[in-house]
Amino acid sequence: MEPQGLESIRARLGAAEREAGRAPGSVTLLAVSKVQPEDRVRAVLRAGQRIFGENRVQEAQGRWTPLREEFEGVELHLIGPLQTNKARAAVELFQAIHSVDRLRLTETLARLAQERGASPDLFLQVNTGREPQKAGCLPEEADALVARARALGLPVRGLMCIPPEGEDPVPHFRLLRGIAERNGLPGLSMGMSGDFEAAVREGATHVRVGSAIFGDRVSAPPAATGA
Ligand SMILES: *Cc1c(COP(=O)(O)O)cnc(C)c1O
């Protein structure tokens, strides 16, 4: 996708809020900076953006530890899968985690929250498309996971989903919203570069936009296939 820049995405987000009858500024824009070259990230910081999404703990640590010394008020959200053995590093770095998807991880996060006297805001990820390769609990497991996370005292703010590629995302957004409503959860982390306006119409409170702000991600070369 061609980069349209932060200004244009902010304008489109504002228009989507208006059209959906939502209050201006009610949807939080996460600029997804994973794998983006540092000069692009700096440009977006200089333009005033302070909330960023990253999908890997170590990559985010390496990038943001120095950048945070330079730019004040940066808020980091983890949007990629979290391994239990990286949970400690994650809670130290991130203000929100959108990818909580299993009991064992909630238990680890609860133990860390006790220890530190604080926890990032949590979103539980739901695999609305039931894709085997994708993280997230199944839709029918979500109520129990919410209840368990709450019983552990964790600050569960909402739900997150990543609809299957190439499918109409709207049924997935609606499924997620339904689960959130019946559990009394206000937050909905849904919508990316290709579908954030539709997500706003369906009630998103957090949209995660990468390539439409920064340009295509520079991907690693494909792995060599034998000799
Ligand atoms: C990469 C990523 C995004 C951003 O994707 P774009 O299509 O570049 O906007 C959003 N959410 C998650 C979970 C991601 O991994």
Side-chain angles (χ1 to χ4, degrees):
M1 187 170 298
E2 277 301 299
Q4 296 168 305
L6 181 64
E7 282 317 308
S8 146
I9 295 303
R10 278 183 178 160
R12 283 173 55 191
L13 183 57
E17 284 171 338
R18 267 195 309 284
E19 280 160 32
R22 315 264 313 266
S26 56
V27 181
T28 299
L29 174 64
L30 271 65
V32 178
S33 47
K34 66 182 187 198
V35 208
Q36 293 289 352
E38 175 151 331
D39 58 328
R40 293 186 192 168
V41 178
R42 283 176 174 276
V44 166
L45 278 160
R46 282 195 298 270
Q49 177 70 22
R50 285 296 179 273
I51 308 179
F52 291 85
E54 288 281 354
N55 72 336
R56 285 171 193 271
V57 178
Q58 262 151 350
E59 183 192 329
Q61 242 171 356
R63 155 170 289 162
W64 288 102
T65 305
L67 278 178
R68 272 180 154 165
E69 311 236 314
E70 220 178 304
F71 295 90
E72 266 178 53
V74 169
E75 186 180 310
L76 297 178
H77 293 227
L78 179 64
I79 60 173
L82 177 57
Q83 291 169 260
T84 310
N85 63 6
K86 299 218 176 104
R88 180 179 296 277
V91 300
E92 283 166 5
L93 186 66
F94 292 97
Q95 283 64 62
I97 299 175
H98 293 231
S99 50
V100 178
D101 64 352
R102 58 196 192 279
L103 203 52
R104 189 157 126 71
L105 182 56
T106 61
E107 286 162 356
T108 303
L109 291 171
R111 187 161 37 75
L112 291 165
Q114 282 254 300
E115 233 179 83
R116 305 171 68 245
S119 168
D121 288 338
L122 303 181
F123 291 75
L124 306 187
Q125 183 176 351
V126 182
N127 187 354
T128 57
R130 320 181 75 84
E131 296 172 279
Q133 81 285 8
K134 212 168 250 176
C137 69
L138 291 173
E140 64 270 23
E141 297 167 345
D143 294 355
L145 191 61
V146 173
R148 186 67 191 136
R150 281 178 166 156
L152 288 166
L154 290 169
V156 185
R157 306 294 183 215
L159 301 177
M160 181 271 235
C161 76
I162 310 169
E165 232 171 282
E167 264 186 44
D168 178 2
V170 169
H172 297 274
F173 296 156
R174 292 190 178 159
L175 174 58
L176 195 73
R177 182 180 183 158
I179 299 171
E181 280 177 352
R182 72 174 181 244
N183 283 285
L185 289 170
L188 284 172
S189 167
M190 57 190 202
M192 316 192 345
S193 289
D195 57 17
F196 71 88
E197 285 141 322
V200 169
R201 284 194 291 276
E202 299 302 329
T205 59
H206 294 68
V207 294
R208 312 177 307 263
V209 180
S211 44
I213 293 176
F214 292 102
D216 282 334
R217 284 179 283 279
V218 185
S219 52
T225 51

